[in-house]
Amino acid sequence: MAWTPPLTWVNGNVPSDTDLNEQIRDNSFFNFNGKAANAIVRDNNGRYTTTSTSFVPVDSTNLSITLTLTTGRILMIFNACSNNVSGVGSMDFLIDGARYMAAGADGFGINNVNGSNVCLTAMKLGLSAGSHTFQPCWRAYGTTYTLEAGNGVAQQDSLIQFAVMEF
Amino acid sequence: MQPLGIKIPLRDKVVDPTLLDQEIKAELIRHADIYVDLCVGTSIMQDVLVVWMDERTDAAELPIIEELCVGVLAAHDASKAPVVEPVPTPEETHAKVVELQEEVVNLKSLAAEVADLKVRVAKLEGR
């Protein structure tokens, strides 16, 4: 159900069934489960790697979420594990192709620990109502940076989750 | 602006990401310095190689670069990649440090024992 801005009632207003359904029923449904959200668990059947020295999408096909927003407020979550021979890399989020932490050359910071969890959580406010696309992105620093994504090998077989929710 | 991605199917070919990246850059240099200057790196996704070119790259050049990379991929042999030793985990490093510290203690104890023996030998020789 779509969100309808609440009316300001004044003395003398007689609400119709349409008004009540829209103002109470539909808006309640929207608040209950009508906000946009999507969660991807990615089994790539193999590792993701990059040597890119500019931020690029990790996987623009399979790790990309497009939501139609109403409130313009979103929470982005990314969980993965860097590989046991991983090089040095850093990560960020793309919102409509623009890097969220663009003011920082290294995004959310550099990861250079092998076999460590890479967990990002970011909240963004003030997006316009309408369609927006979200993607995790990454870069390397002179090495091959690697994320596990279900390669089927013991102790390396972890998956990636990427989720975006409107609140 | 994001780099431009040239997507090339791997078609189940086994690749070594680091070696393939080096081979692609070597081929780009061989063809034209400007190509490698504009190449910001490569990614491996599910059965897809992506060659990332700086957004200033002339779109007309992209098919040429793609053709070069397809050739490199066809000739690529992942078995030629040098074996990379896994970087030890912090736990492994800690265990090694503890092991070495114990060895130092043992060596100090042995050194003390040797010194004691030397004293005893000297005493015996003195007699």
Side-chain angles (χ1 to χ4, degrees):
Chain A
M1 294 291 179
W3 170 256
T4 304
L7 295 172
T8 299
W9 301 95
V10 296
N11 281 338
N13 280 157
V14 179
S16 66
D17 59 344
T18 304
D19 290 334
L20 290 171
N21 285 336
E22 180 188 82
Q23 293 289 304
I24 298 174
R25 184 196 63 185
D26 295 352
N27 280 349
S28 296
F29 274 133
F30 176 82
N31 281 321
F32 177 62
N33 65 359
K35 292 173 187 169
N38 196 359
I40 296 169
V41 173
R42 178 66 185 151
D43 184 346
N44 189 50
N45 294 313
R47 291 166 166 163
Y48 282 106
T49 68
T50 193
T51 63
S52 176
T53 51
S54 293
F55 278 92
V56 293
V58 176
D59 182 340
S60 55
T61 303
N62 301 296
L63 288 171
S64 181
I65 290 176
T66 298
L67 300 179
T68 301
L69 303 181
T70 302
T71 67
R73 307 188 307 174
I74 53 109
L75 182 68
M76 298 175 283
I77 297 166
F78 180 84
N79 289 305
C81 184
S82 61
N83 160 251
N84 67 336
V85 288
S86 182
V88 181
S90 61
M91 301 208 62
D92 201 342
F93 290 113
L94 295 172
I95 301 176
D96 297 325
R99 199 157 61 80
Y100 186 34
M101 295 285 128
D106 302 315
F108 280 98
I110 292 174
N111 174 281
N112 62 358
V113 179
N114 55 305
S116 68
N117 289 103
V118 179
C119 304
L120 309 178
T121 307
M123 198 163 78
K124 171 76 174 172
L125 310 176
L127 289 168
S128 61
S131 179
H132 295 278
T133 298
F134 308 93
Q135 297 170 323
C137 65
W138 61 346
R139 61 157 292 179
Y141 293 84
T143 55
T144 302
Y145 188 48
T146 306
L147 292 177
E148 302 291 8
N151 70 353
V153 177
Q155 298 182 20
Q156 298 174 2
D157 194 26
S158 57
L159 305 183
I160 291 175
Q161 184 185 49
F162 176 50
V164 184
M165 60 172 285
E166 181 181 33
F167 66 95
Chain B
M1 286 288 283
Q2 271 185 46
L4 307 165
I6 302 172
K7 292 186 178 180
I8 301 169
L10 292 173
R11 301 189 201 288
D12 294 328
K13 184 177 179 83
V14 177
V15 300
D16 179 86
T18 304
L19 179 63
L20 182 59
D21 182 75
Q22 290 165 354
E23 289 172 346
I24 285 173
K25 285 171 181 166
E27 178 67 6
L28 294 180
I29 283 179
R30 200 184 63 75
H31 194 81
D33 283 353
I34 185 71
Y35 283 177
V36 81
D37 290 344
L38 290 170
C39 180
V40 298
T42 56
S43 294
I44 304 289
M45 298 177 188
Q46 189 178 39
D47 212 28
V48 175
L49 161 72
V50 185
V51 180
W52 297 104
M53 302 301 293
D54 188 281
E55 66 269 15
R56 293 167 298 169
T57 309
D58 184 348
E61 305 279 324
L62 295 178
I64 302 166
I65 295 166
E66 180 174 353
E67 195 179 335
L68 292 172
C69 295
V70 167
V72 172
L73 180 62
H76 175 74
D77 181 356
S79 68
K80 289 182 180 169
V83 176
V84 179
E85 291 293 330
V87 179
T89 63
E91 290 75 20
E92 287 167 343
T93 306
H94 178 70
K96 189 69 186 170
V97 168
V98 169
E99 185 187 317
L100 289 171
Q101 282 171 339
E102 283 172 0
E103 208 168 309
V104 167
V105 170
N106 288 339
L107 286 171
K108 280 182 178 171
S109 166
L110 273 174
E113 228 171 283
V114 168
D116 184 50
L117 283 170
K118 277 183 178 172
V119 170
R120 287 168 65 183
V121 167
K123 280 181 182 173
L124 286 170
E125 284 175 342
R127 284 175 191 169

